[in-house]
Amino acid sequence: MKKRWDSQYRYAVFFDPQTGKGARSNVYTDQMIDTGKDPYRSSFPELLDIGIMGSCDHGNSGLCLSSGVECYQKGGEIQEAHMSYETFTKIIDQAQHKTFQVALGGRGDPDQHPDIIKFLAYAHHHGITPNFTTSGYGLSPSLLPAIKQYCGAVAVSWYRNTYTLSAIKMLTEFGIKTNIHYVLSNSSIDEAIDLIEKDTWPGGINRVIFLLHKPVGFGSLSQVLDIKDPKVIHFFSLFDQAKIANKAGFDSCCVPAILNLTQEIDPTCIEACEAGRFSAYITPDNKLVPCSFEKDESYAVSLDQISIEEAWESEPFERFRSKQNHRCVGCGDQESCLGGCPIVSKITLCDRVTKTLQESTV
């Protein structure tokens, strides 16, 4: 178990690299009195999402679209250089003793980066747990020993293909903790309900993590879920069953739906959007942004001349955080939800009269 005391915001944070579980204490006063309040933010990102991939051949081949996944990074259309090993090591050097995990991603499968083993090893040897998500297409068995040695977990995107199942089988049989990342959209929710009710997920997986579809990049608005849709209501109600909930996870974009459409999930078990508060994204060209879904360049801060800590405390990040402060202030669940997604309000699954969101453009 790793722990860190954030002296600036006066809370303790704990992380178990073996299980991936973490927790934060309440905030304390200068007299070390527990205020009973959750910390709003950290002095440095506890999680860094690092876009090591600058381009993706899958986009050119139509691999993602044919599987029903609309790439929010515009893979195939945008062709940039992959992140260099030198840039990556500088990031890890700054994050050591401050960041618990890094999620490797970007515009393509991280396992296709020529320096992927060096990346995983460098993070691991500097006390930071690396994880990554892959489509499974092209995943080489030769990488499995390094993945098992260095990674906390690997997620395989649910691409509805033989290579999806092959990658899951390959990883789980090698003893690697493996999750499925499932994007929830209007075209995928029927399948999700069927897979849950019949429990026909591949064997050996750790959890299924449900990610809310966002109309960003190639993502279309027509695929955004509607909280009044009976299918959506039924889907989330399934997680009131403990045996189902214990095998599932959600991205923070799903928090409003969990609060509105479930009865048995304890609100203390969920976390509102952490973008710009406890996590951030670093682009392949070395810019810090609050979230990988944020495409407004006014929130991007180049790390070529300043540190991650300076960028974290910069005016663009403060401006991003302020977007959450005045949303849904009349709602009793505001502290648990923070008004949903600060980037694309349209995906916030809530129809309460207290819902007051500021529309964003992407």
Side-chain angles (χ1 to χ4, degrees):
M1 178 71 73
K2 297 182 178 181
K3 59 182 179 179
R4 181 172 63 85
W5 171 255
D6 192 310
S7 58
Q8 183 174 353
Y9 293 100
R10 307 196 66 79
Y11 74 93
V13 59
F14 307 87
F15 174 71
D16 185 345
Q18 300 300 316
T19 65
K21 294 180 179 179
R24 301 186 188 99
S25 75
N26 291 332
V27 174
Y28 286 80
T29 66
D30 290 341
Q31 294 74 37
M32 294 305 294
I33 298 172
D34 188 334
T35 66
K37 296 289 187 181
D38 291 335
Y40 175 72
R41 55 163 294 194
S42 60
S43 58
F44 194 93
E46 295 173 6
L47 167 68
L48 279 171
D49 186 359
I50 306 177
I52 65 172
M53 299 297 290
S55 61
C56 175
D57 292 335
H58 300 345
N60 290 331
S61 66
L63 187 68
C64 301
L65 288 175
S66 66
S67 68
V69 177
E70 299 176 340
C71 179
Y72 73 95
Q73 292 275 23
K74 288 190 174 182
E77 178 177 301
I78 300 175
Q79 297 288 317
E80 295 178 351
H82 298 329
M83 180 176 286
S84 69
Y85 180 67
E86 179 185 15
T87 296
F88 183 81
T89 58
K90 288 179 180 179
I91 292 168
I92 298 300
D93 289 347
Q94 293 180 65
Q96 188 176 20
H97 305 308
K98 299 175 183 178
T99 296
F100 292 120
Q101 301 182 75
V102 290
L104 307 186
R107 205 171 291 113
D109 286 336
D111 52 279
Q112 300 302 303
H113 194 291
D115 291 324
I116 182 60
I117 293 178
K118 293 170 63 178
F119 283 1
L120 299 178
Y122 196 85
H124 174 82
H125 291 316
H126 285 74
I128 298 173
T129 300
N131 309 290
F132 68 87
T133 303
T134 178
S135 71
Y137 187 82
L139 179 64
S140 172
S142 65
L143 293 178
L144 298 180
I147 294 171
K148 185 173 182 177
Q149 181 178 0
Y150 302 129
C151 286
V154 172
V156 178
S157 298
W158 190 250
Y159 271 29
R160 304 164 181 86
N161 212 304
T162 53
Y163 57 79
T164 305
L165 299 176
S166 176
I168 292 171
K169 187 173 186 289
M170 187 191 311
L171 291 163
T172 55
E173 289 187 348
F174 205 80
I176 295 167
K177 184 180 290 184
T178 306
N179 298 320
I180 289 175
H181 276 184
Y182 189 105
V183 178
L184 286 171
S185 66
N186 282 325
S187 63
S188 70
I189 193 159
D190 284 328
E191 179 197 33
I193 291 171
D194 188 64
L195 287 166
I196 292 170
E197 292 184 330
K198 294 180 181 177
D199 192 19
T200 49
W201 300 104
I205 61 169
N206 179 53
R207 285 183 179 267
V208 181
I209 312 298
F210 293 99
L211 316 173
L212 209 58
H213 168 87
K214 296 125 183 123
V216 177
F218 290 149
S220 57
L221 191 61
S222 63
Q223 291 297 326
V224 174
L225 298 183
D226 181 352
I227 192 172
K228 295 180 181 179
D229 184 342
K231 295 177 183 178
V232 174
I233 295 170
H234 177 60
F235 170 81
F236 282 99
S237 73
L238 293 172
F239 298 97
D240 281 332
Q241 302 175 48
K243 66 177 182 178
I244 293 176
N246 289 338
K247 291 295 292 181
F250 299 90
D251 68 359
S252 59
C253 305
C254 292
V255 165
I258 294 171
L259 291 170
N260 283 302
L261 301 177
T262 69
Q263 302 296 321
E264 302 298 327
I265 297 180
D266 188 337
T268 62
C269 295
I270 60 179
E271 180 70 48
C273 178
E274 296 189 340
R277 300 190 306 122
F278 298 100
S279 66
Y281 176 63
I282 300 179
T283 64
D285 59 349
N286 204 31
K287 294 176 183 175
L288 192 76
V289 293
C291 174
S292 60
F293 291 99
E294 181 58 83
K295 304 306 179 186
D296 185 342
E297 283 292 321
S298 71
Y299 294 111
V301 183
S302 174
L303 298 176
D304 290 342
Q305 302 297 327
I306 66 172
S307 68
I308 295 173
E309 185 171 0
E310 289 172 313
W312 183 250
E313 299 293 345
S314 66
E315 184 277 334
F317 268 70
E318 286 300 319
R319 182 159 36 88
F320 180 88
R321 294 176 190 119
S322 71
K323 292 202 293 184
Q324 294 176 320
N325 295 338
H326 305 293
R327 298 157 64 91
C328 306
V329 292
C331 180
D333 285 322
Q334 200 274 346
E335 290 187 4
S336 298
C337 174
L338 296 180
C341 180
I343 298 171
V344 191
S345 295
K346 293 180 177 67
I347 71 168
T348 302
L349 291 172
C350 181
D351 60 354
R352 300 186 189 186
V353 295
T354 50
K355 180 180 176 182
T356 53
L357 308 182
Q358 201 172 24
E359 287 300 320
S360 305
T361 57
V362 179

